[in-house]
Amino acid sequence: SVVFPEPDAPTTATLSPRLISTLIPSSILSSPAAVRTDFDTSRNSRMSDVSCMKRLLLTLLLIWTAPGLAARTLLVMGDSISAAYGIQRDAGWVTLLQERLEQQAYGIRVVNASISGETTGGGLSRLPKALEMHAPDIVIIELGGNDALRGYPIDAIHANLERMIELTSASGALVMLMGMNIPPNYGPRYTQAFHNIYHELARSESVALVPFLLEGVALEPELMQRDLIHPTVDAQPKLLDNVWPVLTDVLAKGEGPELHSE
């Protein structure tokens, strides 16, 4: 499942269960009797079982410490859209992302550091600690919507997102930027300028862009909650589908075979 970090909580990388199953023969996992010791077979069964367990633990330890086999980390820095506002958190698109990654045998652990109501300024202030704590390989930045709904200056939103991208890139992680739009009642000039932020940053900083996270959702009343801002539970698979092709392209081009499904 997705990790929802507590403040100051230490985290460690783990192997996905599916990845472990591909590295350890199924006979070892399913039947302790399949692993035999070199001791005389006349020894009692308890000693045999203990030896089998020791061998299994040693195998897992070797897998854990082998270079390139520890699970990679994907960090999501988002607002209420990624924090699953108004629905069960484990039904949100970020949790669905972790499930799909596991189903397709990607060795990737997802950390959801999204907070409802978060702004680009808040995300920027939290990012250095999050990068240090989780050492992510990929960072999804899904912020800006709350800034725009509050009428924050376009230049300030742009500058905050740009700095988040710079800090993430400097840490060695890849960036995925989630594009966002706002309702037209904010005026065509502001609305268009806000829309352009994400596309301009994607070009200038050479980062992957999901043009509009709520594509196919925002204009469908049945997929939006009563506030017409937050997607319903039924919309979450669509959000994931909007993210997935960009993410798999990032994995294919930027991270090498360790992150590819078998």
Side-chain angles (χ1 to χ4, degrees), residues 34-54:
V35 182
R36 297 300 181 188
T37 70
D38 294 330
F39 298 137
D40 191 285
T41 55
S42 63
R43 299 210 175 192
N44 62 58
S45 60
R46 174 174 293 183
M47 290 296 294
S48 179
D49 289 343
V50 170
S51 181
C52 292
M53 183 59 67
K54 285 181 177 179

Side-chain angles (χ1 to χ4, degrees), residues 1-68:
S1 60
V2 178
V3 175
F4 301 112
E6 297 292 337
D8 302 318
T11 58
T12 56
T14 58
L15 288 171
S16 69
R18 184 166 182 175
L19 181 58
I20 290 176
S21 69
T22 65
L23 295 171
I24 305 176
S26 58
S27 59
I28 294 179
L29 294 174
S30 61
S31 176
V35 182
R36 297 300 181 188
T37 70
D38 294 330
F39 298 137
D40 191 285
T41 55
S42 63
R43 299 210 175 192
N44 62 58
S45 60
R46 174 174 293 183
M47 290 296 294
S48 179
D49 289 343
V50 170
S51 181
C52 292
M53 183 59 67
K54 285 181 177 179
R55 284 198 172 193
L56 177 57
L57 292 175
L58 178 59
T59 301
L60 292 173
L61 179 61
L62 291 174
I63 291 173
W64 176 271
T65 57

Side-chain angles (χ1 to χ4, degrees), residues 11-191:
T11 58
T12 56
T14 58
L15 288 171
S16 69
R18 184 166 182 175
L19 181 58
I20 290 176
S21 69
T22 65
L23 295 171
I24 305 176
S26 58
S27 59
I28 294 179
L29 294 174
S30 61
S31 176
V35 182
R36 297 300 181 188
T37 70
D38 294 330
F39 298 137
D40 191 285
T41 55
S42 63
R43 299 210 175 192
N44 62 58
S45 60
R46 174 174 293 183
M47 290 296 294
S48 179
D49 289 343
V50 170
S51 181
C52 292
M53 183 59 67
K54 285 181 177 179
R55 284 198 172 193
L56 177 57
L57 292 175
L58 178 59
T59 301
L60 292 173
L61 179 61
L62 291 174
I63 291 173
W64 176 271
T65 57
L69 290 180
R72 303 300 183 92
T73 299
L74 186 155
L75 174 67
V76 181
M77 296 289 294
D79 52 30
S80 55
I81 303 298
S82 297
Y85 176 88
I87 63 175
Q88 291 295 318
R89 193 155 185 174
D90 61 5
W93 77 265
V94 178
T95 298
L96 299 183
L97 170 62
Q98 177 71 88
E99 293 174 356
R100 185 175 294 184
L101 288 168
E102 291 176 353
Q103 289 166 1
Q104 299 197 19
Y106 285 90
I108 301 177
R109 167 179 171 269
V110 177
V111 176
N112 192 357
S114 302
I115 298 176
S116 292
E118 185 67 289
T119 62
T120 58
L124 176 57
S125 68
R126 292 192 298 119
L127 181 61
K129 186 174 182 179
L131 293 174
E132 179 182 3
M133 179 179 294
H134 303 295
D137 300 278
I138 301 173
V139 176
I140 290 179
I141 300 175
E142 183 272 301
L143 291 169
N146 288 316
D147 300 60
L149 293 177
R150 297 171 188 178
Y152 288 178
I154 293 296
D155 289 346
I157 302 172
H158 186 288
N160 287 339
L161 289 173
E162 183 176 42
R163 185 57 180 154
M164 290 187 73
I165 293 170
E166 291 171 349
L167 290 173
T168 301
S169 298
S171 76
L174 298 177
V175 179
M176 284 182 58
L177 191 59
M178 303 290 106
M180 191 58 62
N181 294 330
I182 56 173
N185 58 294
Y186 282 79
R189 184 174 179 180
Y190 188 86
T191 300

Side-chain angles (χ1 to χ4, degrees), residues 106 138 174 206-209 245-260:
Y106 285 90
I138 301 173
L174 298 177
S206 299
V207 297
L209 173 69
V246 179
L247 175 59
T248 53
D249 188 56
V250 168
L251 298 180
K253 293 180 178 179
E255 286 298 306
E258 294 90 344
L259 285 174
H260 291 185

